[in-house]
Amino acid sequence: MKQAVIGKQVWQGSRAEGAAKIRKLKRLAPADLLLYAAAVIVLFIISCALFPSLIAPYSPTLMNTDQIMQPPSLQHVFGTDYFGRDVFSVVVHGSRDSLLIGFVSVLVGCVTGGAIGAVAGYIGGVVDAVFMRLIDVLMTIPGVLLALAIAAALGPSLMNVVLAVAAASIPGYARVMRGQIMSIKGRPFITASRSIGTSSLSIFVRHVLPNSLSPMFVMAAIGIGTAILTGAGLNFLGLGTIKEIPDWGALLSQGRGYLTVAWWICTFPGLAITLFVLSINILGDKVRDQLDPKQSRA
Amino acid sequence: MSTAYSKPAVWMKMTSLALAVTLVLVGCSGGAGKSSATNGGSAAGAAPSTAAEQSSTPVAGGELSYALATSPDQLDPHRSGLAVAVRVIRTLYDTLVVQLPGGEIKPWLATEWSISEDGKSYTFKLRQDVKFQDGTPFNAEAVKYSFDRIIDPETKAANALALVRPYESSEVIDEYTVKLNLSEPSQAFLGNVSQALLSIVSPTAAKKDGDQFTKHPIGTGPFKFVKWDENSEIVVEKNPDYNWAPETVSQQGAPNLDKIIFKIVPEEATRIGSVQSGQVLAAETVPPQNILSLKNDANSQLYQANTVGLPYTLFINHSKAPWNELKARQALQLGINVEAIVKTLYLGTYEQAWSPLSPGIFGYDASLEGGVKPDIEKAKQLLDELGWKAGADGIREKDGKKLTLHYVDGSPNREKRNDIAAIVQQQLKPLGIQVDVEITKDVATVVYANNNYDLYGNSQVNSDPNALYSIYHTTAPGARQNLPNLSDPELDKLLEDGATQQDQTKREAIYKEAQQLIIKKAVIIPIYVFPYTVAASKKVQGLAFDSLGYPIFNDVYIAE
């Protein structure tokens, strides 16, 4: 009885709302669908990285030498590679290192770069000049080249790839942070705060820093994609790690010699990189929209 | 939503960047994209060999572009250490004698020779009509100069120094007679003299250029050096005066080709792809996965020659516990399924190796073939007997130490050697051995300087079983350790006898015993015999290979 009433109410109410919803759906459809699709892909790939054994049907190290270079089939959806490993399982397990490189290096780069930029921008003067000239020097070297040089100098290990990718992203974060701090520093409310005798440190922590963070979030969100690409590039070039379970970049590298005879070995890891980077950028873009003061006013 | 237009712009940019990077990474091999498998021509089974093309007559002229897999280190034969350099060096220089497949030694720059009773001096009579490409006459002085140059520490000779041992000095008897003196008899010496690294160089040029001789190499070979662009190409042109080819080639005089352009193309898919697309006429070292498709390609042909010497072998370091114990090494020998490795990675295009020597070399013991069969249960039992018990994670332990194997291999991944390490790692896991693979660019430091490995693989092209001496004989005090860090008096004795034994039947028996001993004591795990492969356009005719598997270009011509 109660249920029926509720049902009726809903039904009645949704007539007018329904029409509006459909209009709304039509208007938002492409962008929102893309957003949802991106979210699903990112969530799926993150769960691959967290619980690979639950998703992968085979062990990534199982070399079934009787079944090498099998094309995609129901049994092996992505086919098998030249060791006889199931490509899908290897890609699923390989996501862990790729994502780790992406997230950790962004965290390291963002925090380090942000700190340098904040100190330089807030203190200004000689400190600013010194820090920014150092950053300028780093900026003259293209990011990937810098990462390559660092990875080559430190030797192959997961940690070193993270450091290399992080170091390459520092100048960008530092520049943005410094600019943001400087623009906030000059706002009237800061001057007001200073005039009532608030300490410099307190102004920085309470006002300047919180107001400067949103562009950093946006940059970080988009930076994850770039970081994964750079990390994959380093591993592709053999400057990354050598482990039992290769990451996506190393998988591409292993499979490239077989492109003409077994396209699936490097196509699927490549597709995984593309999809993940694309999705993370769509999401990053959404974060930017949400945090953009100009857009929220409009 | 006034700024909505910028929305797609950013992610589109990122997407295209992502795609572009992925495509660039993958597309490094783009040249190979032109599929050859579709041609479906005659699947002639065996490699189309030179025999098939004898119907057409050689034409003079033309250029051969030949893609090399890596850059030669030196064009100075005495200082080079790489097999790839020998491919170019062979075109520029000649040696005193030539070795036929099967080991027989025949005249080349020397017309005849005699060996003294004690086996310690070799007297060569030289050809009188030979001159170097710079006009310097070829004579006994030139031969003396070349051999003395190798043992001169100033030269910093590499592999040539090992080959020339035990050479001591030369005497010029007359203009065209030279006597080489050895410090002890060596049965390998004459065979070594046939190797390209003991080529005769122009004394005038070598004295003048010193260290720079490698940049302006001058020999007596069928081709003259033109130029060398680092990491790009090496060009040699016809030596029109050439008239002293050995009997291994059919054309006594100058070669057919006007020029050979050796292009350096390290990326294997690109190298083979450029033959199929016609950018080069020939390319060396075809990856196994492409061999099968090339055999079906109507416009290409495949040449294949097994290299001779020491096959690709994994050396077990005897100075590291527990691998100093026979049972532990036998466990590796039984636990590593070499047949599966060779079949999986080389798709039936490489032969499995069974002995420390490769087939085709003097004294090779074919009875070892099929001898060692993988037996995991036996391997486990051997490790049990040594007291290694399975731990919680499946890795064996003894006295609180895990059973690990430090497997070192070089980068880049030449002949899929890194992939062998990946398979060995998985094969030894069920035995309870944890394999730590280290891939390094700096093998010289890790392996040779620091002796920091349990397992390391290498191979060597050589003409005589005496090659075993430098790998397995106890090293002199203070010298660099041999690869397995081995010191076995029984084997030492055999290798010493083999080096000097003049009776060929006895010598053969000695080397067979040495090979059996090495396998019985599980010193090594032989993996594969490397076939030197060349993919070439059907237009390339007359390419031949010497006894060691190096290409000979004298008879090559381009058929139109």
Side-chain angles (χ1 to χ4, degrees), chain B residues 86-87 89-91 95 97-103 108 194-197 246 248-249 304-308 461-463 532 543-553:
Chain B
V86 174
R87 283 157 208 152
I89 286 172
R90 264 283 178 231
T91 66
T95 45
V97 292
V98 66
Q99 189 182 41
L100 302 186
W108 195 346
S194 78
Q195 290 201 36
L197 297 183
T248 46
V249 299
Q304 193 161 345
N306 264 356
T307 57
V308 173
V461 177
N462 216 313
S463 56
Y532 182 65
L543 185 63
F545 298 90
D546 70 9
S547 60
L548 300 181
Y550 290 116
I552 309 177
F553 295 100

mmCIF file of all heavy atoms in Angstrom, chain B residues 86-87 89-91 95 97-103 108 194-197 246 248-249 304-308 461-463 532 543-553:
data_model
loop_
_atom_site.group_PDB
_atom_site.id
_atom_site.type_symbol
_atom_site.label_atom_id
_atom_site.label_comp_id
_atom_site.label_asym_id
_atom_site.label_seq_id
_atom_site.Cartn_x
_atom_site.Cartn_y
_atom_site.Cartn_z
ATOM 1 N N VAL B 86 84.999 -7.799 -37.695
ATOM 2 C CA VAL B 86 85.661 -8.754 -38.579
ATOM 3 C C VAL B 86 84.965 -8.798 -39.938
ATOM 4 O O VAL B 86 85.604 -9.001 -40.963
ATOM 5 C CB VAL B 86 85.702 -10.146 -37.923
ATOM 6 C CG1 VAL B 86 86.257 -11.185 -38.888
ATOM 7 C CG2 VAL B 86 86.547 -10.104 -36.664
ATOM 8 N N ARG B 87 83.663 -8.580 -39.939
ATOM 9 C CA ARG B 87 82.938 -8.604 -41.217
ATOM 10 C C ARG B 87 83.455 -7.533 -42.156
ATOM 11 O O ARG B 87 83.487 -7.722 -43.375
ATOM 12 C CB ARG B 87 81.438 -8.437 -40.962
ATOM 13 C CG ARG B 87 80.865 -9.748 -40.460
ATOM 14 C CD ARG B 87 79.603 -9.634 -39.669
ATOM 15 N NE ARG B 87 79.557 -10.768 -38.746
ATOM 16 C CZ ARG B 87 78.943 -10.784 -37.591
ATOM 17 N NH1 ARG B 87 78.275 -9.735 -37.180
ATOM 18 N NH2 ARG B 87 78.977 -11.841 -36.826
ATOM 19 N N ILE B 89 86.586 -5.971 -41.623
ATOM 20 C CA ILE B 89 88.038 -6.193 -41.698
ATOM 21 C C ILE B 89 88.380 -7.206 -42.794
ATOM 22 O O ILE B 89 89.350 -7.035 -43.534
ATOM 23 C CB ILE B 89 88.562 -6.647 -40.317
ATOM 24 C CG1 ILE B 89 88.592 -5.449 -39.367
ATOM 25 C CG2 ILE B 89 89.930 -7.298 -40.416
ATOM 26 C CD1 ILE B 89 88.900 -5.778 -37.932
ATOM 27 N N ARG B 90 87.548 -8.244 -42.930
ATOM 28 C CA ARG B 90 87.788 -9.264 -43.958
ATOM 29 C C ARG B 90 87.807 -8.688 -45.371
ATOM 30 O O ARG B 90 88.434 -9.258 -46.269
ATOM 31 C CB ARG B 90 86.715 -10.353 -43.877
ATOM 32 C CG ARG B 90 87.112 -11.571 -43.069
ATOM 33 C CD ARG B 90 88.052 -12.476 -43.836
ATOM 34 N NE ARG B 90 88.478 -13.634 -43.049
ATOM 35 C CZ ARG B 90 89.749 -13.998 -42.880
ATOM 36 N NH1 ARG B 90 90.725 -13.301 -43.427
ATOM 37 N NH2 ARG B 90 90.053 -15.066 -42.189
ATOM 38 N N THR B 91 87.120 -7.572 -45.593
ATOM 39 C CA THR B 91 87.115 -7.002 -46.942
ATOM 40 C C THR B 91 88.379 -6.186 -47.202
ATOM 41 O O THR B 91 88.754 -5.968 -48.342
ATOM 42 C CB THR B 91 85.904 -6.068 -47.170
ATOM 43 O OG1 THR B 91 86.044 -4.921 -46.325
ATOM 44 C CG2 THR B 91 84.597 -6.766 -46.867
ATOM 45 N N THR B 95 95.020 -12.577 -44.974
ATOM 46 C CA THR B 95 95.902 -13.258 -44.019
ATOM 47 C C THR B 95 96.878 -14.156 -44.786
ATOM 48 O O THR B 95 96.710 -14.380 -45.993
ATOM 49 C CB THR B 95 95.078 -14.105 -43.032
ATOM 50 O OG1 THR B 95 94.092 -14.828 -43.760
ATOM 51 C CG2 THR B 95 94.386 -13.225 -42.009
ATOM 52 N N VAL B 97 97.370 -17.365 -44.518
ATOM 53 C CA VAL B 97 96.781 -18.632 -44.961
ATOM 54 C C VAL B 97 95.266 -18.541 -44.812
ATOM 55 O O VAL B 97 94.750 -17.625 -44.187
ATOM 56 C CB VAL B 97 97.310 -19.823 -44.129
ATOM 57 C CG1 VAL B 97 98.774 -20.061 -44.405
ATOM 58 C CG2 VAL B 97 97.066 -19.600 -42.649
ATOM 59 N N VAL B 98 94.574 -19.490 -45.396
ATOM 60 C CA VAL B 98 93.113 -19.511 -45.296
ATOM 61 C C VAL B 98 92.706 -20.890 -44.801
ATOM 62 O O VAL B 98 93.356 -21.899 -45.100
ATOM 63 C CB VAL B 98 92.475 -19.169 -46.655
ATOM 64 C CG1 VAL B 98 92.768 -20.238 -47.694
ATOM 65 C CG2 VAL B 98 90.967 -18.972 -46.523
ATOM 66 N N GLN B 99 91.622 -20.915 -44.017
ATOM 67 C CA GLN B 99 91.131 -22.187 -43.508
ATOM 68 C C GLN B 99 89.872 -22.591 -44.269
ATOM 69 O O GLN B 99 88.959 -21.786 -44.446
ATOM 70 C CB GLN B 99 90.813 -22.051 -42.014
ATOM 71 C CG GLN B 99 90.495 -23.383 -41.364
ATOM 72 C CD GLN B 99 90.137 -23.219 -39.889
ATOM 73 O OE1 GLN B 99 89.438 -22.298 -39.507
ATOM 74 N NE2 GLN B 99 90.626 -24.125 -39.068
ATOM 75 N N LEU B 100 89.868 -23.836 -44.734
ATOM 76 C CA LEU B 100 88.667 -24.331 -45.416
ATOM 77 C C LEU B 100 87.691 -24.830 -44.360
ATOM 78 O O LEU B 100 88.091 -25.210 -43.265
ATOM 79 C CB LEU B 100 89.031 -25.484 -46.347
ATOM 80 C CG LEU B 100 90.065 -25.210 -47.437
ATOM 81 C CD1 LEU B 100 90.184 -26.422 -48.354
ATOM 82 C CD2 LEU B 100 89.702 -23.977 -48.248
ATOM 83 N N PRO B 101 86.415 -24.843 -44.694
ATOM 84 C CA PRO B 101 85.468 -25.448 -43.757
ATOM 85 C C PRO B 101 85.930 -26.888 -43.509
ATOM 86 O O PRO B 101 86.249 -27.612 -44.445
ATOM 87 C CB PRO B 101 84.144 -25.422 -44.527
ATOM 88 C CG PRO B 101 84.318 -24.336 -45.544
ATOM 89 C CD PRO B 101 85.772 -24.336 -45.902
ATOM 90 N N GLY B 102 86.016 -27.282 -42.267
ATOM 91 C CA GLY B 102 86.566 -28.595 -41.971
ATOM 92 C C GLY B 102 87.961 -28.491 -41.375
ATOM 93 O O GLY B 102 88.489 -29.459 -40.845
ATOM 94 N N GLY B 103 88.579 -27.330 -41.517
ATOM 95 C CA GLY B 103 89.805 -27.082 -40.780
ATOM 96 C C GLY B 103 91.088 -27.107 -41.589
ATOM 97 O O GLY B 103 92.134 -26.708 -41.111
ATOM 98 N N TRP B 108 97.438 -18.463 -48.973
ATOM 99 C CA TRP B 108 96.797 -17.207 -49.368
ATOM 100 C C TRP B 108 97.923 -16.237 -49.697
ATOM 101 O O TRP B 108 98.487 -16.309 -50.792
ATOM 102 C CB TRP B 108 95.884 -16.684 -48.261
ATOM 103 C CG TRP B 108 94.925 -15.591 -48.711
ATOM 104 C CD1 TRP B 108 94.986 -14.882 -49.874
ATOM 105 C CD2 TRP B 108 93.787 -15.105 -48.006
ATOM 106 N NE1 TRP B 108 93.944 -13.991 -49.927
ATOM 107 C CE2 TRP B 108 93.196 -14.096 -48.797
ATOM 108 C CE3 TRP B 108 93.210 -15.412 -46.788
ATOM 109 C CZ2 TRP B 108 92.049 -13.396 -48.385
ATOM 110 C CZ3 TRP B 108 92.083 -14.715 -46.387
ATOM 111 C CH2 TRP B 108 91.497 -13.716 -47.184
ATOM 112 N N SER B 194 95.152 -17.900 -39.841
ATOM 113 C CA SER B 194 94.145 -17.721 -40.891
ATOM 114 C C SER B 194 93.025 -16.773 -40.451
ATOM 115 O O SER B 194 92.199 -16.369 -41.266
ATOM 116 C CB SER B 194 93.540 -19.078 -41.271
ATOM 117 O OG SER B 194 92.581 -19.475 -40.299
ATOM 118 N N GLN B 195 92.980 -16.419 -39.171
ATOM 119 C CA GLN B 195 91.880 -15.563 -38.700
ATOM 120 C C GLN B 195 92.113 -14.095 -39.036
ATOM 121 O O GLN B 195 93.240 -13.595 -39.001
ATOM 122 C CB GLN B 195 91.694 -15.719 -37.194
ATOM 123 C CG GLN B 195 91.136 -17.083 -36.834
ATOM 124 C CD GLN B 195 90.469 -17.082 -35.468
ATOM 125 O OE1 GLN B 195 89.839 -16.112 -35.066
ATOM 126 N NE2 GLN B 195 90.604 -18.184 -34.760
ATOM 127 N N ALA B 196 91.029 -13.393 -39.313
ATOM 128 C CA ALA B 196 91.108 -12.017 -39.795
ATOM 129 C C ALA B 196 91.838 -11.089 -38.831
ATOM 130 O O ALA B 196 92.437 -10.102 -39.256
ATOM 131 C CB ALA B 196 89.705 -11.481 -40.052
ATOM 132 N N LEU B 197 91.783 -11.403 -37.545
ATOM 133 C CA LEU B 197 92.424 -10.501 -36.584
ATOM 134 C C LEU B 197 93.948 -10.569 -36.670
ATOM 135 O O LEU B 197 94.643 -9.698 -36.158
ATOM 136 C CB LEU B 197 91.960 -10.811 -35.162
ATOM 137 C CG LEU B 197 90.458 -10.589 -34.919
ATOM 138 C CD1 LEU B 197 90.104 -10.860 -33.471
ATOM 139 C CD2 LEU B 197 90.038 -9.166 -35.290
ATOM 140 N N PRO B 246 92.141 -16.229 -52.183
ATOM 141 C CA PRO B 246 92.394 -17.621 -51.805
ATOM 142 C C PRO B 246 91.440 -18.549 -52.556
ATOM 143 O O PRO B 246 90.513 -18.088 -53.227
ATOM 144 C CB PRO B 246 92.107 -17.636 -50.313
ATOM 145 C CG PRO B 246 91.094 -16.560 -50.136
ATOM 146 C CD PRO B 246 91.402 -15.505 -51.158
ATOM 147 N N THR B 248 89.098 -20.244 -51.528
ATOM 148 C CA THR B 248 87.718 -20.311 -51.010
ATOM 149 C C THR B 248 86.753 -19.470 -51.839
ATOM 150 O O THR B 248 85.548 -19.571 -51.660
ATOM 151 C CB THR B 248 87.670 -19.813 -49.554
ATOM 152 O OG1 THR B 248 88.420 -18.605 -49.470
ATOM 153 C CG2 THR B 248 88.225 -20.818 -48.593
ATOM 154 N N VAL B 249 87.282 -18.607 -52.718
ATOM 155 C CA VAL B 249 86.386 -17.835 -53.585
ATOM 156 C C VAL B 249 86.673 -18.217 -55.032
ATOM 157 O O VAL B 249 87.778 -18.642 -55.359
ATOM 158 C CB VAL B 249 86.558 -16.306 -53.395
ATOM 159 C CG1 VAL B 249 86.236 -15.920 -51.967
ATOM 160 C CG2 VAL B 249 87.940 -15.850 -53.757
ATOM 161 N N GLN B 304 72.368 -18.548 -44.336
ATOM 162 C CA GLN B 304 72.599 -18.958 -42.961
ATOM 163 C C GLN B 304 73.897 -19.749 -42.870
ATOM 164 O O GLN B 304 74.129 -20.658 -43.657
ATOM 165 C CB GLN B 304 71.415 -19.814 -42.491
ATOM 166 C CG GLN B 304 71.393 -20.045 -41.015
ATOM 167 C CD GLN B 304 70.016 -20.478 -40.525
ATOM 168 O OE1 GLN B 304 69.016 -20.341 -41.232
ATOM 169 N NE2 GLN B 304 69.958 -20.982 -39.323
ATOM 170 N N ALA B 305 74.746 -19.380 -41.924
ATOM 171 C CA ALA B 305 76.002 -20.106 -41.728
ATOM 172 C C ALA B 305 76.237 -20.254 -40.238
ATOM 173 O O ALA B 305 76.234 -19.261 -39.515
ATOM 174 C CB ALA B 305 77.159 -19.332 -42.360
ATOM 175 N N ASN B 306 76.383 -21.468 -39.754
ATOM 176 C CA ASN B 306 76.637 -21.639 -38.332
ATOM 177 C C ASN B 306 78.024 -21.124 -37.996
ATOM 178 O O ASN B 306 78.981 -21.378 -38.721
ATOM 179 C CB ASN B 306 76.524 -23.115 -37.941
ATOM 180 C CG ASN B 306 75.147 -23.433 -37.383
ATOM 181 O OD1 ASN B 306 74.308 -22.546 -37.220
ATOM 182 N ND2 ASN B 306 74.918 -24.689 -37.098
ATOM 183 N N THR B 307 78.124 -20.385 -36.914
ATOM 184 C CA THR B 307 79.437 -19.900 -36.507
ATOM 185 C C THR B 307 80.158 -21.028 -35.784
ATOM 186 O O THR B 307 79.546 -21.943 -35.252
ATOM 187 C CB THR B 307 79.320 -18.696 -35.569
ATOM 188 O OG1 THR B 307 78.536 -19.075 -34.454
ATOM 189 C CG2 THR B 307 78.674 -17.517 -36.254
ATOM 190 N N VAL B 308 81.470 -20.951 -35.813
ATOM 191 C CA VAL B 308 82.287 -22.018 -35.236
ATOM 192 C C VAL B 308 83.084 -21.453 -34.068
ATOM 193 O O VAL B 308 83.476 -20.297 -34.088
ATOM 194 C CB VAL B 308 83.228 -22.594 -36.323
ATOM 195 C CG1 VAL B 308 84.211 -23.569 -35.731
ATOM 196 C CG2 VAL B 308 82.402 -23.260 -37.409
ATOM 197 N N VAL B 461 83.849 -16.822 -31.324
ATOM 198 C CA VAL B 461 84.125 -17.394 -32.638
ATOM 199 C C VAL B 461 85.603 -17.746 -32.674
ATOM 200 O O VAL B 461 86.443 -16.920 -32.348
ATOM 201 C CB VAL B 461 83.786 -16.384 -33.751
ATOM 202 C CG1 VAL B 461 84.146 -16.950 -35.114
ATOM 203 C CG2 VAL B 461 82.318 -16.027 -33.707
ATOM 204 N N ASN B 462 85.909 -18.976 -33.023
ATOM 205 C CA ASN B 462 87.316 -19.375 -33.050
ATOM 206 C C ASN B 462 87.515 -20.543 -34.002
ATOM 207 O O ASN B 462 86.570 -21.223 -34.376
ATOM 208 C CB ASN B 462 87.770 -19.757 -31.639
ATOM 209 C CG ASN B 462 89.208 -19.337 -31.404
ATOM 210 O OD1 ASN B 462 90.074 -19.582 -32.221
ATOM 211 N ND2 ASN B 462 89.438 -18.680 -30.278
ATOM 212 N N SER B 463 88.773 -20.756 -34.386
ATOM 213 C CA SER B 463 89.027 -21.759 -35.416
ATOM 214 C C SER B 463 89.571 -23.061 -34.862
ATOM 215 O O SER B 463 89.635 -24.048 -35.566
ATOM 216 C CB SER B 463 90.017 -21.196 -36.440
ATOM 217 O OG SER B 463 91.189 -20.788 -35.771
ATOM 218 N N TYR B 532 74.925 -17.417 -38.118
ATOM 219 C CA TYR B 532 75.003 -16.077 -38.700
ATOM 220 C C TYR B 532 74.019 -16.041 -39.859
ATOM 221 O O TYR B 532 74.108 -16.851 -40.788
ATOM 222 C CB TYR B 532 76.419 -15.791 -39.175
ATOM 223 C CG TYR B 532 76.579 -14.400 -39.743
ATOM 224 C CD1 TYR B 532 76.421 -13.296 -38.925
ATOM 225 C CD2 TYR B 532 76.860 -14.199 -41.078
ATOM 226 C CE1 TYR B 532 76.545 -12.008 -39.422
ATOM 227 C CE2 TYR B 532 76.999 -12.908 -41.593
ATOM 228 C CZ TYR B 532 76.832 -11.827 -40.750
ATOM 229 O OH TYR B 532 76.953 -10.550 -41.251
ATOM 230 N N LEU B 543 76.954 -14.493 -52.427
ATOM 231 C CA LEU B 543 77.471 -14.282 -51.080
ATOM 232 C C LEU B 543 77.899 -15.634 -50.501
ATOM 233 O O LEU B 543 77.169 -16.615 -50.591
ATOM 234 C CB LEU B 543 76.397 -13.647 -50.195
ATOM 235 C CG LEU B 543 76.815 -13.245 -48.781
ATOM 236 C CD1 LEU B 543 77.895 -12.170 -48.822
ATOM 237 C CD2 LEU B 543 75.622 -12.744 -47.987
ATOM 238 N N ALA B 544 79.104 -15.679 -49.942
ATOM 239 C CA ALA B 544 79.596 -16.930 -49.364
ATOM 240 C C ALA B 544 80.090 -16.680 -47.949
ATOM 241 O O ALA B 544 80.168 -15.527 -47.509
ATOM 242 C CB ALA B 544 80.722 -17.484 -50.231
ATOM 243 N N PHE B 545 80.397 -17.732 -47.226
ATOM 244 C CA PHE B 545 80.853 -17.599 -45.841
ATOM 245 C C PHE B 545 82.122 -18.407 -45.648
ATOM 246 O O PHE B 545 82.290 -19.476 -46.242
ATOM 247 C CB PHE B 545 79.757 -18.068 -44.887
ATOM 248 C CG PHE B 545 78.518 -17.239 -45.011
ATOM 249 C CD1 PHE B 545 77.512 -17.589 -45.902
ATOM 250 C CD2 PHE B 545 78.374 -16.077 -44.265
ATOM 251 C CE1 PHE B 545 76.384 -16.799 -46.039
ATOM 252 C CE2 PHE B 545 77.257 -15.285 -44.406
ATOM 253 C CZ PHE B 545 76.258 -15.648 -45.294
ATOM 254 N N ASP B 546 83.006 -17.896 -44.792
ATOM 255 C CA ASP B 546 84.250 -18.627 -44.549
ATOM 256 C C ASP B 546 84.038 -19.683 -43.465
ATOM 257 O O ASP B 546 82.921 -19.876 -42.976
ATOM 258 C CB ASP B 546 85.405 -17.661 -44.239
ATOM 259 C CG ASP B 546 85.255 -16.981 -42.893
ATOM 260 O OD1 ASP B 546 84.358 -17.365 -42.122
ATOM 261 O OD2 ASP B 546 86.036 -16.067 -42.619
ATOM 262 N N SER B 547 85.112 -20.338 -43.090
ATOM 263 C CA SER B 547 84.987 -21.486 -42.185
ATOM 264 C C SER B 547 84.434 -21.091 -40.820
ATOM 265 O O SER B 547 83.925 -21.938 -40.097
ATOM 266 C CB SER B 547 86.354 -22.144 -42.018
ATOM 267 O OG SER B 547 87.259 -21.204 -41.467
ATOM 268 N N LEU B 548 84.539 -19.826 -40.461
ATOM 269 C CA LEU B 548 84.041 -19.405 -39.157
ATOM 270 C C LEU B 548 82.648 -18.783 -39.245
ATOM 271 O O LEU B 548 82.081 -18.376 -38.242
ATOM 272 C CB LEU B 548 84.996 -18.387 -38.522
ATOM 273 C CG LEU B 548 86.420 -18.862 -38.272
ATOM 274 C CD1 LEU B 548 87.241 -17.765 -37.621
ATOM 275 C CD2 LEU B 548 86.430 -20.105 -37.397
ATOM 276 N N GLY B 549 82.104 -18.679 -40.437
ATOM 277 C CA GLY B 549 80.775 -18.098 -40.594
ATOM 278 C C GLY B 549 80.790 -16.612 -40.919
ATOM 279 O O GLY B 549 79.758 -15.960 -40.859
ATOM 280 N N TYR B 550 81.954 -16.043 -41.283
ATOM 281 C CA TYR B 550 82.008 -14.636 -41.683
ATOM 282 C C TYR B 550 81.718 -14.514 -43.183
ATOM 283 O O TYR B 550 82.137 -15.368 -43.970
ATOM 284 C CB TYR B 550 83.388 -14.040 -41.382
ATOM 285 C CG TYR B 550 83.655 -13.872 -39.911
ATOM 286 C CD1 TYR B 550 84.658 -14.578 -39.264
ATOM 287 C CD2 TYR B 550 82.883 -12.983 -39.162
ATOM 288 C CE1 TYR B 550 84.885 -14.414 -37.908
ATOM 289 C CE2 TYR B 550 83.107 -12.821 -37.810
ATOM 290 C CZ TYR B 550 84.103 -13.541 -37.184
ATOM 291 O OH TYR B 550 84.334 -13.373 -35.846
ATOM 292 N N PRO B 551 81.019 -13.451 -43.598
ATOM 293 C CA PRO B 551 80.680 -13.322 -45.017
ATOM 294 C C PRO B 551 81.909 -13.008 -45.880
ATOM 295 O O PRO B 551 82.818 -12.325 -45.442
ATOM 296 C CB PRO B 551 79.698 -12.143 -45.034
ATOM 297 C CG PRO B 551 79.999 -11.373 -43.800
ATOM 298 C CD PRO B 551 80.488 -12.350 -42.787
ATOM 299 N N ILE B 552 81.896 -13.531 -47.099
ATOM 300 C CA ILE B 552 82.943 -13.229 -48.087
ATOM 301 C C ILE B 552 82.255 -12.543 -49.256
ATOM 302 O O ILE B 552 81.290 -13.059 -49.812
ATOM 303 C CB ILE B 552 83.637 -14.514 -48.595
ATOM 304 C CG1 ILE B 552 84.099 -15.366 -47.417
ATOM 305 C CG2 ILE B 552 84.829 -14.174 -49.482
ATOM 306 C CD1 ILE B 552 84.723 -16.674 -47.842
ATOM 307 N N PHE B 553 82.776 -11.367 -49.631
ATOM 308 C CA PHE B 553 82.083 -10.562 -50.635
ATOM 309 C C PHE B 553 82.716 -10.633 -52.030
ATOM 310 O O PHE B 553 82.184 -10.055 -52.966
ATOM 311 C CB PHE B 553 82.036 -9.096 -50.182
ATOM 312 C CG PHE B 553 81.222 -8.885 -48.933
ATOM 313 C CD1 PHE B 553 81.826 -8.762 -47.703
ATOM 314 C CD2 PHE B 553 79.846 -8.829 -49.001
ATOM 315 C CE1 PHE B 553 81.080 -8.578 -46.545
ATOM 316 C CE2 PHE B 553 79.088 -8.640 -47.855
ATOM 317 C CZ PHE B 553 79.700 -8.522 -46.625
#
